Amino acid sequence: MNTQEHIAIAEQYGAHNYHPLPVVIQSGQGCWVTDVEGRRFLDMLSAYSALNFGYSHPHLIDAAIAQLKKCTLTSRAFHNDQLGPFCKELCELSGYEAVLPMNSGAEACETAVKTARKWGYKVKGIAQNQAEIICANNNFHGRTVTIISFSTDAQYREGFGPYTPGFPLIPFGDPAALERAITKNTVAFFVEPIQAESGILVPPDGYLAKCREICKKHNILFILDEIQTGLCRTGTLFAWQHEGAAARPDMMCLGKALGGGVLPISAIITSWDVMKVFQPGDHGSTFGGNPFACAVARAAMHLIKTMGLAERARDMGEYFRGKLRAINAPAVKEVRGRGLLIGVEIKDTYPQARWFCERLMAEGLLCKDAHDHVIRFAPPLVIEKSDIDWAIERIAKVLPSAQPLSADGGRKPAMAGAGH
Ligand SMILES: *Cc1c(COP(=O)(O)O)cnc(C)c1O
């Protein structure tokens, strides 16, 4: 089947909850993919950071095949020989004490919410059903009903009510707003260290450390969603480490790259002081902690410990941003980001980011808009300098080619992406 035929059956039989670029990928190696027509593309999205190690990394594929042949699933009704070592190695890597494994990122965030609420009732003594978890405007934590209940994106919420109560919202990047929002019922502040889906929004320096200090003072949990930013993407193992130990959260949500881009696996990690609130039967998942995903995650952690990926992300990211800033394109409002999580914001008076992504695809680069106005560049962390140079040549052709929109025309709504 050719590209058009593949797209036609996907459209006919699959729900239309995404608006993908018209490319049908068949295989991938490192940072490069090949489509069904035999064309090659440089991947600049990495499945939203799930593919930090690139496609088909031999260490991950070998670990997956070995475990595939032994045992894939046991359920948590029994022990398996991968779960314990996975939890231990994740604790050693991160410096935390206890792990609760799940599958998707959204499930990890749901687990963080449940943990914080239970901690609030059992440890803090909050009155039943009164717990509040403060979240930030423009957050992205996934797509379950509870999580979209605290989204500020109208499209993520519309038609899915009634919503889960108990999530006051404050502006991102403003510690004073956090302090003002805290009440006797507050159990946690739940936030992303960099808001990736909302357009690679980097908070002011010192923001996370200040928030942590406020949380400590009021005895509430400081919870970071590192699902997209964690595991070396931003140039440090976790994004909060840019602010040092002063920003260390009480709990983290991890996902995406934890499964090496091979299998879905997510987790919350925290202290026993918090994790002790769970008793057998309180929470769980059939596939959570399965030996197949745990074995691959262990292989992924081995790569994190041995490949120097954080330094790579930092150095390549700095190089990439420097080259992007040197492109003279009137459509560009700002180039920002950390490590290899980079956003190029397009001015309102130019076509939306999707317009650029379509043209970059024609040049051999696969990118995704983050909201309407930001082109996200987040390649696998194994990217070579020569690949970045190759990409820059193409980006330098596409960015300046955009013409300002006519004053009356405005943006074409048909160009809007379907979000994440
Ligand atoms: C992707 C993402 C999630 C949700 O993960 P899924 O695996 O898609 O459910 C949650 N938080 C952040 C910051 C993310 O980037």
Side-chain angles (χ1 to χ4, degrees):
M1 284 195 290
N2 67 22
T3 298
Q4 287 323 316
E5 290 162 339
H6 275 286
I7 292 174
I9 59 167
E11 292 280 307
Q12 187 180 344
Y13 296 105
H16 298 174
N17 57 330
Y18 279 89
H19 178 37
L21 290 171
V23 57
V24 182
I25 295 169
Q26 192 164 58
S27 62
Q29 194 60 241
C31 301
W32 294 82
V33 295
T34 305
D35 78 352
V36 290
E37 319 267 344
R39 295 178 296 188
R40 295 183 80 225
F41 298 86
L42 182 59
D43 180 6
M44 283 277 171
L45 180 61
S46 318
Y48 312 96
S49 295
L51 284 161
N52 278 1
F53 311 97
Y55 293 82
S56 311
H57 193 289
H59 184 70
L60 298 175
I61 300 302
D62 289 349
I65 290 172
Q67 188 61 38
L68 185 57
K69 288 179 173 170
K70 277 197 271 188
C71 178
T72 54
L73 179 65
T74 56
S75 92
R76 297 293 302 278
F78 318 119
H79 286 276
N80 72 68
D81 70 354
Q82 295 299 313
L83 176 60
F86 161 74
C87 292
K88 177 172 185 274
E89 286 158 24
L90 183 52
C91 285
E92 285 166 359
L93 180 72
S94 62
Y96 284 75
E97 293 173 354
V99 174
L100 197 166
M102 296 294 282
N103 308 286
S104 68
E107 283 178 319
C109 294
E110 283 274 345
T111 302
V113 164
K114 289 175 80 173
T115 310
R117 283 182 168 187
K118 213 170 186 64
W119 176 84
Y121 299 125
K122 282 186 123 173
V123 179
K124 251 195 118 173
I126 306 248
Q128 276 312 307
N129 298 326
Q130 299 303 307
E132 290 174 355
I133 296 175
I134 299 169
C135 298
N137 293 340
N138 303 314
N139 68 73
F140 183 83
H141 299 290
R143 301 295 205 154
T144 65
V145 168
T146 287
I147 289 170
I148 57 123
S149 295
F150 49 86
S151 173
T152 54
D153 188 308
Q155 196 195 354
Y156 295 173
R157 292 168 54 88
E158 205 182 299
F160 299 126
Y163 306 110
T164 309
F167 300 98
L169 287 158
I170 58 169
F172 182 64
D174 180 359
L178 171 61
E179 190 138 38
R180 279 196 302 274
I182 292 171
T183 72
K184 66 177 194 328
N185 293 325
T186 307
V187 294
F189 177 43
F190 184 32
V191 69
E192 299 151 87
I194 293 174
Q195 291 186 324
E197 288 313 302
S198 284
I200 324 294
L201 305 178
V202 183
D205 279 342
Y207 172 63
L208 300 174
K210 188 78 200 147
C211 289
R212 182 197 187 220
E213 186 191 318
I214 293 166
C215 288
K216 261 208 150 40
K217 184 171 129 196
H218 295 272
N219 190 27
I220 67 176
L221 300 176
F222 179 44
I223 307 176
L224 287 180
D225 178 348
E226 288 263 11
I227 288 168
Q228 187 160 165
T229 51
L231 307 181
C232 305
R233 169 58 55 187
T234 70
T236 46
L237 180 60
F238 302 114
W240 61 262
Q241 290 172 322
H242 288 281
E243 295 187 25
R248 185 181 187 272
D250 299 301
M251 189 193 301
M252 263 189 276
C253 301
L254 300 177
K256 294 201 165 119
L258 189 59
V262 177
L263 285 166
I265 178 168
S266 66
I268 63 157
I269 52 178
T270 184
S271 62
W272 273 119
D273 239 11
V274 174
M275 200 69 97
K276 71 180 180 201
V277 300
F278 284 111
Q279 300 295 317
D282 284 349
H283 184 53
S285 160
T286 302
F287 278 82
N290 71 77
F292 194 15
C294 285
V296 174
R298 293 179 65 198
M301 287 190 279
H302 174 79
L303 292 182
I304 287 171
K305 280 186 282 193
T306 54
M307 281 180 77
L309 281 178
E311 295 73 23
R312 259 194 100 73
R314 186 192 59 209
D315 295 347
M316 292 295 158
E318 218 158 274
Y319 180 72
F320 199 172
R321 277 196 302 283
K323 292 275 179 185
L324 285 169
R325 288 195 177 111
I327 296 172
N328 184 13
V332 173
K333 187 170 163 191
E334 190 186 28
V335 175
R336 59 173 177 257
R338 271 212 177 113
L340 280 170
L341 185 59
I342 300 172
V344 174
E345 182 168 352
I346 303 298
K347 290 175 190 162
D348 297 346
T349 46
Y350 281 81
Q352 291 196 333
R354 170 89 185 188
W355 183 95
F356 293 89
C357 292
E358 286 166 357
R359 273 140 197 91
L360 288 166
M361 186 194 123
E363 296 291 328
L365 251 87
L366 297 183
C367 306
K368 167 82 173 84
D369 40 316
H371 268 174
D372 295 341
H373 314 317
V374 180
I375 313 169
R376 162 176 28 200
F377 293 106
L381 308 183
V382 295
I383 194 164
E384 301 283 345
K385 211 171 199 171
S386 56
D387 291 329
I388 294 177
D389 291 335
W390 186 93
I392 284 290
E393 264 181 53
R394 273 114 198 125
I395 298 165
K397 205 166 122 190
V398 169
L399 283 183
S401 72
Q403 296 301 314
L405 300 168
S406 56
D408 57 330
R411 288 178 187 277
K412 291 200 213 93
M415 285 301 205
H420 174 181

